[in-house]
Each structure stands twice: as C-alpha cells, then as structure tokens.
Amino acid sequence: MTPELLSLPPSLSIRGAAAVHESLLDALKTNKAITVDIPDDAQADLSFIQLIEASRVYARTEGKYITLTKPASPGIVDTLRRGGFLTNMDEASRLFWLHGKEIQ
C-alpha cells in the first residue's frame, strides 16, 4: 500500500484552514493512507495543528493512516510548544510529529 502524497502550502493558518481541511478529507475518503508534506518554511498557527490532530482521530476511527514525510520543522515544533501539545505528548503523537526524535 503506497500512501497518497498530500503537499501542503507554506501558509497554514486559519485563513487557509478550509482548503487544507477539504484536501485532507478528500485524500482520506479515497485512500487508506496519506502522507502529508509540510514545507520546511511553513508558517502554521494553532488552527493547523488542531486540524491535523482532528484528521488523525478521524483517520483512526476509519481504519486509515496519516503520516508526515519528515519530522516537524522547528517552526511547527514551536507552534506545538505554544499550544501545549508537547507537554505530556503520548508516544503515537511523538512518532507522528517528531518521527520518534527527542525535541531539541
């Protein structure tokens, strides 16, 4: 099973949340697994993190999978930190966002 690649734009904020949501949902409807590519220079706010977290829950309930092409960039890690997502992060989330690496 080869996951569908979903490349996201560099601006991942509330302004573009509807388009990213639609892309994620469409990809999950037609594929068992998707791999999300977040640009290294992406600027993300908490709405993006919440959207990805909600997509992960949805995928799990549907027996589907979401992965990232690479660990979260420093900018995404900073957004995760500001939102409190790194505090008591479970192993599944650590594997998803950081690919199992420790936070630098």
Side-chain angles (χ1 to χ4, degrees):
M1 160 182 74
T2 302
E4 175 77 14
L5 179 63
L6 179 62
S7 295
L8 298 180
S11 178
L12 300 167
S13 66
I14 192 72
R15 286 194 175 139
V20 172
H21 176 257
E22 187 176 326
S23 296
L24 283 163
L25 204 51
D26 287 348
L28 283 169
K29 283 181 184 175
T30 56
N31 299 281
K32 183 159 180 67
I34 63 170
T35 299
V36 178
D37 184 43
I38 302 171
D40 291 334
D41 62 346
Q43 298 296 311
D45 65 14
L46 288 176
S47 69
F48 171 71
I49 304 297
Q50 292 169 327
L51 180 58
I52 293 293
E53 288 297 309
S55 297
R56 291 178 61 211
V57 170
Y58 172 76
R60 248 190 328 268
T61 63
E62 298 294 314
K64 298 184 178 200
Y65 304 92
I66 297 177
T67 57
L68 297 178
T69 56
K70 58 192 171 292
S73 67
I76 299 295
V77 169
D78 187 53
T79 304
L80 288 164
R81 181 177 287 113
R82 284 194 324 266
F85 288 91
L86 298 181
T87 306
N88 300 320
M89 182 178 265
D90 66 17
E91 186 64 17
S93 293
R94 197 167 73 75
L95 287 171
F96 177 80
W97 288 107
L98 308 173
H99 288 201
K101 294 183 169 73
E102 292 300 318
I103 301 164
Q104 299 299 318

